[in-house]
Amino acid sequence: MQIVTRLIAMNRARQLQRQFRQIERSISALPLRTRARLGVMTLREIGQASRCEFPHLYGTAPEQRYMPWGQGTDIGFGRAQSDNPEVALRGIALWLAVAYHETKDSPHTSLQPQHRQFLRVLRELRDATGEQPDTMAQWMRSGAAA
């Protein structure tokens, strides 16, 4: 059973990596001001997901609760491909939030590099806001974020 679990985790890691490359390209194509908005939206999504019973299933229908992973990344990835810039931004924020929670405390070593990549992108988005570091740190400690 451990071999099957490991194979599922490796497959998921590959899927997240493929999607992440596209998401990262979309983020790097954004102007600085839009990246700052995306950073705020992503932190808000992460905070909302953390209030759920199962944060990694954020954006997934309740009846699909017992799946190995939710549909939030697929929904977010689909929206990120939209021609509508607002829908695309919200899709990227949803994808980052769900992927963050999905890989956050993963015991699978194949998912841990993805989590570090997500943290790097989140840090870059946070830095794009141009706010004072102490203000951002205070906001992160509040109940608004994970």
Side-chain angles (χ1 to χ4, degrees):
M1 187 65 178
Q2 287 181 339
I3 293 172
V4 173
T5 303
R6 207 171 305 157
L7 286 174
I8 291 171
M10 286 174 39
N11 185 36
R12 182 62 176 162
R14 259 186 297 168
Q15 181 183 17
L16 288 176
Q17 186 62 35
R18 270 194 313 270
Q19 291 179 350
F20 177 68
R21 282 194 296 266
Q22 183 62 36
I23 293 287
E24 194 172 31
R25 274 188 236 122
S26 298
I27 292 171
S28 63
L30 295 173
L32 189 60
R33 175 173 271 163
T34 308
R35 278 190 218 168
R37 278 189 55 225
L38 177 61
V40 171
M41 290 168 92
T42 303
L43 289 175
R44 190 175 300 133
E45 289 285 343
I46 289 172
Q48 289 175 348
S50 67
R51 289 186 209 107
C52 295
E53 186 178 1
F54 300 105
H56 68 285
L57 296 178
Y58 182 67
T60 303
E63 60 271 5
Q64 296 176 337
R65 167 186 208 171
Y66 298 105
M67 297 175 64
W69 56 81
Q71 294 179 330
T73 53
D74 293 333
I75 293 169
F77 188 72
R79 289 179 184 169
Q81 307 303 312
S82 174
D83 292 334
N84 183 328
E86 189 64 31
V87 171
L89 275 182
R90 291 184 182 279
I92 292 170
L94 174 64
W95 191 91
L96 286 171
V98 174
Y100 168 81
H101 281 294
E102 189 175 320
T103 60
K104 184 178 175 184
D105 294 321
S106 177
H108 305 290
T109 57
S110 59
L111 289 171
Q112 292 170 356
Q114 275 78 19
H115 186 69
R116 287 191 294 274
Q117 289 177 331
F118 302 153
L119 289 176
R120 178 185 52 80
V121 168
L122 292 174
R123 184 174 46 252
E124 289 171 3
L125 289 174
R126 180 198 66 200
D127 293 345
T129 60
E131 293 184 24
Q132 300 297 327
D134 57 334
T135 306
M136 185 60 79
Q138 184 181 26
W139 184 80
M140 288 294 289
R141 283 191 298 271
S142 74

